[in-house]
Amino acid sequence: MNPTLRSLTPAQASVTLGVSAKALRLYEEHGLLVPDRTRTGWRVYDVAAMTRASEIVALRSLGLSLAQVARVLDGKPHDLDASLAAHEARLSEQRQRTAEALERLRTLRVDLAEGRVPEPTTIARAVVQSLPVTVGFTLPWPWDGEWFALHHVPRLAFITGPLGSGKTRFAQSLASALPDAVFLGLDRLSDPTHSQRLADDPTLAEQVERRLTWLIEEGAERSDGLIRLVVALEAATSTILVIDMVEEGLSAATQTALMAHLRLRGTSKRALILMTRSSAILDLDALEPTETVILCPANHSMPLRVVPYPGGQGYEAVVTCVASPKVRARTAGVVAIRPGIG
């Protein structure tokens, strides 16, 4: 940390640290960070506060919950070993992918030196470690056959739209079109098999319990809805999971903890596409540059990729679609259907 650093505003501190201003307030609420205050009461971050914040950000990047971060900062490192081991595994995986990419490039150069011209597809696969997933498909009713294409599927994406916008059918069609994707519908909330799955698979049960412990330390509330969702997240073998109304059955605190968990997942984890109308799930202020928001408009015009800042394409429409968990609870279980269709 630069010893000559002046006190920074929350906006400046968040940019410097690479986290949101909301994250800094969350650290403060949990007693991990104590910024200074100006005479008028505004938060400012001096060298000591920025050093402390950078330590918190580094520990969070290892996948530690806020409670685990607090214990490590208090000199109790027993939570560190598993997180460091997981981080080591991620780095080893990245090193392996880089080594494989280097070998592909060397092979191309040998081929060129010997007069063999590689195919364009071979070149493309050699210069990137993994090609982005692209998908195109015919949209179902209410769009009736229009073509939709998504040229890059990120690790974390969101689908939103008002009631009756067709977003569930869109999500199902997207899951069907994507390679090795599974659609997880609202029937998960009444699925009676999750207990038996845990009883039959001790490894899965251990993974689920470990993830639940992390979430509860982060502020989540243990519930059947959360357990069923975590079972699905841990048990799914698909590379992409599309989840219908992920907030259903989850309290506000649980939704916040869940999103913290999903953003801290390892790079090797599957891609997730979350359908939601909750501002705790789709927090526009917390969106990362690599994340994508798809809006299904109220007037059944084509679904569009939202530009996530004020004035951007679809931004204001998304603002009107998402609401706090308290407001969302008023319409819990409401499903929009086409008249005459069962």
Side-chain angles (χ1 to χ4, degrees):
M1 189 65 61
N2 184 351
T4 63
L5 181 71
R6 61 183 175 83
S7 293
L8 302 181
T9 66
Q12 293 168 333
S14 64
V15 170
T16 301
L17 294 164
V19 298
S20 67
K22 285 187 177 181
L24 294 178
R25 289 198 297 274
L26 186 64
Y27 303 158
E28 183 180 349
E29 290 169 5
H30 282 75
L32 301 176
L33 183 64
V34 183
D36 286 337
R37 296 275 181 166
T38 66
R39 293 179 180 177
T40 54
W42 296 101
R43 293 177 178 85
V44 290
Y45 298 82
D46 60 12
V47 173
M50 289 296 290
T51 299
R52 176 77 164 193
S54 66
E55 293 169 352
I56 297 169
V57 172
L59 291 171
R60 290 287 276 173
S61 72
L62 291 174
L64 294 176
S65 69
L66 291 170
Q68 290 171 325
V69 169
R71 289 195 288 269
V72 173
L73 292 175
D74 286 341
K76 302 171 184 176
H78 62 274
D79 293 306
L80 269 179
D81 186 57
S83 295
L84 289 173
H87 189 61
E88 181 182 358
R90 289 193 293 270
L91 291 175
S92 296
E93 180 183 336
Q94 291 171 11
R95 180 178 62 185
Q96 179 64 29
R97 290 200 302 266
T98 300
E100 291 170 354
L102 285 170
E103 184 59 31
R104 290 194 295 268
L105 288 171
R106 293 186 183 111
T107 300
L108 283 180
R109 295 190 67 190
V110 169
D111 289 344
L112 283 173
E114 296 177 356
R116 295 187 296 272
V117 179
E119 294 290 331
T121 300
T122 304
I123 298 173
R125 292 189 179 280
V127 298
V128 293
Q129 294 187 9
S130 60
L131 291 174
V133 177
T134 60
V135 63
F137 58 95
T138 301
L139 289 169
W141 180 91
W143 298 279
D144 288 333
E146 294 178 273
W147 184 256
F148 178 86
L150 184 62
H151 297 293
H152 175 61
V153 179
R155 287 181 59 249
L156 187 59
F158 304 87
I159 299 172
T160 192
L163 287 172
S165 63
K167 59 186 179 295
T168 300
R169 291 183 176 88
F170 172 81
Q172 291 171 329
S173 298
L174 179 60
S176 296
L178 285 166
D180 194 26
V182 169
F183 179 79
L184 184 62
L186 290 177
D187 54 356
R188 67 181 185 272
L189 298 174
S190 57
D191 181 8
T193 65
H194 74 285
S195 297
Q196 191 61 47
R197 292 173 72 184
L198 294 175
D200 293 341
D201 190 341
T203 300
L204 174 62
E206 181 181 354
Q207 293 171 341
V208 168
E209 193 57 39
R210 183 167 59 247
R211 195 55 53 206
L212 287 172
T213 298
W214 191 101
L215 288 164
I216 290 168
E217 286 189 337
E218 194 76 6
E221 299 171 8
R222 193 182 187 101
S223 65
D224 285 343
L226 178 61
I227 294 171
R228 286 182 168 91
L229 182 60
V230 172
V231 169
L233 288 170
E234 294 291 342
T237 57
S238 60
T239 56
I240 302 174
L241 194 59
V242 183
I243 305 178
D244 186 6
M245 303 308 285
V246 68
E247 65 266 25
E248 291 296 323
L250 307 181
S251 68
T254 302
Q255 292 176 41
T256 300
L258 176 66
M259 290 312 302
H261 161 56
L262 295 182
R263 287 194 166 100
L264 290 172
R265 293 174 305 140
T267 56
S268 63
K269 298 297 183 181
R270 68 182 60 86
L272 295 176
I273 301 175
L274 311 178
M275 195 171 79
T276 183
R277 291 186 63 220
S278 169
S279 59
I281 299 294
L282 176 49
D283 183 347
L284 291 167
D285 293 332
L287 279 176
E288 298 183 358
T290 57
E291 297 171 2
T292 294
V293 179
I294 300 172
L295 170 69
C296 294
N299 60 4
H300 295 156
S301 58
M302 284 284 290
L304 56 93
R305 186 166 179 166
V306 175
V307 178
Y309 54 77
Q313 176 180 251
Y315 180 89
E316 279 72 23
V318 169
V319 171
T320 66
C321 290
V322 297
S324 68
K326 181 178 180 180
V327 173
R328 284 285 295 117
R330 300 174 191 165
T331 56
V334 175
V335 179
I337 61 172
R338 185 181 183 181
I341 293 182

